[in-house]
Amino acid sequence: MNTIEQKGMYKTFPRSGKDVSFTHYCPGCGHGVINKLIAEACAEAGLQDETIFVDPVGCGVFTYYYWDAAHISAAHGRASAVATGTCRARPGAVTIAYQGDGDLGAIGFNNAFQAASRGEKFGCIFVNNSLYGMTGGQMAPTTLEGEKTTTTPFGRDSALTGHPLHVCEVFNQLKAPVYIARVSVADTKRIMQAKAAIKKVFEIQKSGLGYALLEILAPCPTNLKMSPKAASEFCATDMEKEFPLGVFRDETSSQRPKERPVPTVASCAELFRESEEIEKAIEDKSFAERRFKFAGYGGQGILSLGLVIAEAARYARRHTLWFPSYGPEQRGGSANCSVVVSGTPIGSPAVENPDVLVCMNQPAYERFIGDVKKGGTVIVDETVPIEVQPPEGVQLVRWPAIRMAEEFGVPKAANTMMLAALAKYELCGIERDILEKALVSSFKKKPELGEKNRELFKRALA
């Protein structure tokens, strides 16, 4: 006798280091039913090898243990943002974001709303059980008026916490979505209707028609403190009274106006392509990876200095990444950036232990000096008091960047003076003429400033 082929879901689920055949959901939880419906719809459409699920934070966080397809786990509320990147990077794939009412309706609402407004080509399956299930049953944006939760023990009071959020109705105001519907899994008839709607979402994505939102009302017996039967009845009566079932929009068969194609990773790259062609980085395993940290006040040109190094690395056909970090202040607040230059592909832009640290002020110096790698170098402006000594094995260079810029009559060029220090001590692994070329290139919109800084760079090295 032949066994029936397993499709959609894995045969066993290796949670907690054990292969089990049951999910983590509580008895009567709507998520379990929805997971089964999604797995069936995906498998029956033959899309398992073409589907990328974006998993949420919430009760559905472990779906990657269950659905036999590709998965990406997103931070809390960011499933729609991650799905946006996914469908743009892999436009031929079927992208499905799976989110709960707390995940989408609260912290992730703007992510989801803006994705829908843009008409991103993914499907969003939104599970509404009227509360935060995984964290103990607190009030969610969709909690009904008068509903008791751990944070509304006397019932939700709309005068204090507002009214329940109607996600489908809000999204239906947008122009871009092609499909918006609300279904339920409260009983068998509703479950069959839900499966048909889920299949519709997969069909829309397979055809590349556009954004689809499917809200599914689901019971949560544990946090509602009800039996599974009573929770299903609550879902079918109280919840449906507040959130009526139905299709709010279905434009999948109508003649929609021709829309601008959704940007893909490749087309976005075209937007930023420079007029001059820069050759791709070459593999050079003999060039050891160098990590830089540039730090100071906003307005001192710290971020621009890092960009010049990254640009020079591109000209030198090295792999490079630039990553900025700064406060809300346009001027005067702390600012720093990380730059990685390598002869091989780079795994991360984060620089925790720099080989080279460049500091323009005392707070920056004291914040990062302890992180410098042994054998590394710190270049600090001579005006900075050295009250904290560098770690053993770290070279300290005091450089008159600010004074030189003032003496040359261009106080704002202190960052160019720091670039000269990097060139003088040969800390970049990049030839001086390439550093000079990158410096001039950074002033493309103001060529006269580019030539002026080229002159200052040469004077500083004289």
Side-chain angles (χ1 to χ4, degrees):
M1 182 181 294
N2 294 326
T3 58
I4 297 174
E5 184 181 355
Q6 179 82 15
K7 289 186 177 181
M9 299 186 86
Y10 293 113
K11 293 181 179 179
T12 57
F13 315 131
R15 291 187 295 107
S16 304
K18 301 177 181 178
D19 281 344
V20 297
S21 57
F22 52 88
T23 68
H24 70 287
Y25 301 118
C26 301
C29 173
H31 276 287
V33 175
I34 296 166
N35 279 198
K36 180 175 180 291
L37 297 180
I38 290 173
E40 289 176 346
C42 183
E44 288 170 7
L47 294 173
Q48 284 180 259
D49 294 335
E50 301 175 38
T51 299
I52 302 172
F53 289 106
V54 181
D55 307 312
V57 169
C59 286
V61 69
F62 292 138
T63 51
Y64 50 82
Y65 283 128
Y66 310 141
W67 296 329
D68 186 3
H71 291 261
I72 300 176
S73 292
H76 194 198
R78 302 300 183 261
S80 289
V82 174
T84 295
T86 303
C87 69
R88 291 190 180 196
R90 293 289 303 277
V94 171
T95 300
I96 304 292
Y98 186 78
Q99 298 190 255
D101 45 9
D103 187 72
L104 183 149
I107 188 173
F109 183 80
N110 191 49
N111 279 239
F113 185 80
Q114 297 298 340
S117 181
R118 294 189 301 268
E120 300 292 350
K121 293 185 177 179
F122 69 86
C124 183
I125 295 178
F126 162 52
V127 181
N128 175 5
N129 57 17
S130 82
L131 41 73
Y132 280 88
M134 188 180 71
T135 54
Q138 300 93 334
M139 184 191 78
T142 55
T143 297
L144 308 184
E145 292 187 49
E147 182 178 348
K148 295 181 180 180
T149 69
T150 56
T151 50
T152 56
F154 301 106
R156 179 173 186 171
D157 184 347
S158 60
L160 297 175
T161 58
H163 298 275
L165 178 65
H166 292 70
V167 173
C168 285
E169 288 83 347
V170 172
F171 279 41
N172 198 35
Q173 300 174 74
L174 301 172
K175 294 181 179 180
V178 298
Y179 182 71
I180 300 174
R182 182 184 290 130
V183 294
S184 170
V185 290
D187 58 26
T188 303
K189 179 181 178 181
R190 289 173 171 83
I191 289 171
M192 298 308 294
Q193 293 170 341
K195 182 174 180 178
I198 290 170
K199 290 180 67 174
K200 179 92 172 180
V201 171
F202 275 93
E203 290 167 2
I204 290 168
Q205 299 316 310
K206 182 180 181 179
S207 302
L209 297 179
Y211 182 88
L213 172 70
L214 177 62
E215 179 178 350
I216 304 179
L217 304 187
C220 180
T222 298
N223 288 297
L224 288 172
K225 296 180 174 55
M226 299 178 182
S227 67
K229 180 181 178 181
S232 293
E233 291 173 351
F234 172 82
C235 185
T237 54
D238 297 54
M239 288 187 69
E240 287 184 23
K241 182 179 180 181
E242 181 68 38
F243 303 111
L245 306 185
V247 177
F248 293 81
R249 179 185 308 185
D250 185 354
E251 298 182 1
T252 55
S253 59
S254 63
Q255 293 294 320
R256 291 171 57 83
K258 188 174 181 180
E259 298 177 359
R260 180 176 62 85
V262 174
T264 63
V265 170
S267 64
C268 286
E270 290 295 324
L271 295 174
F272 296 97
R273 185 176 295 281
E274 299 183 14
S275 56
E276 62 171 312
E277 289 291 333
I278 297 178
E279 297 181 83
K280 291 183 178 180
I282 58 174
E283 297 295 309
D284 182 3
K285 294 182 180 179
S286 66
F287 185 89
E289 184 174 274
R290 303 189 186 201
R291 294 181 166 263
F292 301 81
K293 178 77 76 174
F294 301 91
Y297 289 130
Q300 288 185 307
I302 290 298
L303 305 185
S304 299
L305 176 57
L307 277 173
V308 170
I309 298 298
E311 187 77 350
R314 284 208 306 147
Y315 284 128
R317 300 186 68 182
R318 302 296 185 195
H319 295 271
T320 186
L321 289 174
W322 173 81
F323 188 74
S325 177
Y326 45 86
E329 307 91 345
Q330 187 174 12
R331 291 288 184 271
S334 62
N336 70 80
C337 67
S338 302
V339 176
V340 185
V341 179
S342 178
T344 56
I346 301 165
S348 170
V351 175
E352 296 178 354
N353 301 109
D355 299 290
V356 179
L357 172 64
V358 176
C359 295
M360 296 288 284
N361 60 34
Q362 186 176 8
Y365 173 82
E366 293 182 354
R367 178 181 175 185
F368 295 111
I369 185 60
D371 298 333
V372 182
K373 187 184 298 184
K374 187 174 183 180
T377 302
V378 181
I379 302 179
V380 61
D381 190 80
E382 65 175 8
T383 60
V384 175
I386 306 299
E387 297 179 0
V388 178
Q389 293 301 312
E392 184 179 352
V394 173
Q395 179 186 13
L396 175 65
V397 176
R398 305 198 69 184
W399 185 255
I402 294 174
R403 176 165 59 83
M404 290 172 70
E406 291 175 346
E407 289 176 354
F408 292 160
V410 188
K412 290 185 178 180
N415 59 343
T416 298
M417 301 300 99
M418 280 298 190
L419 180 66
L422 290 167
K424 178 180 176 66
Y425 291 95
E426 299 181 348
L427 296 172
C428 300
I430 302 171
E431 296 177 4
R432 290 188 183 184
D433 61 334
I434 296 180
L435 290 172
E436 185 180 318
K437 179 182 177 181
L439 174 63
V440 174
S441 177
S442 69
F443 291 97
K444 282 180 197 168
K445 295 182 180 178
K446 297 180 180 179
E448 67 283 358
L449 287 180
E451 290 305 316
K452 182 65 176 177
N453 276 269
R454 184 206 298 268
E455 176 190 338
L456 296 175
F457 178 74
K458 289 183 175 180
R459 288 176 65 182
L461 287 169

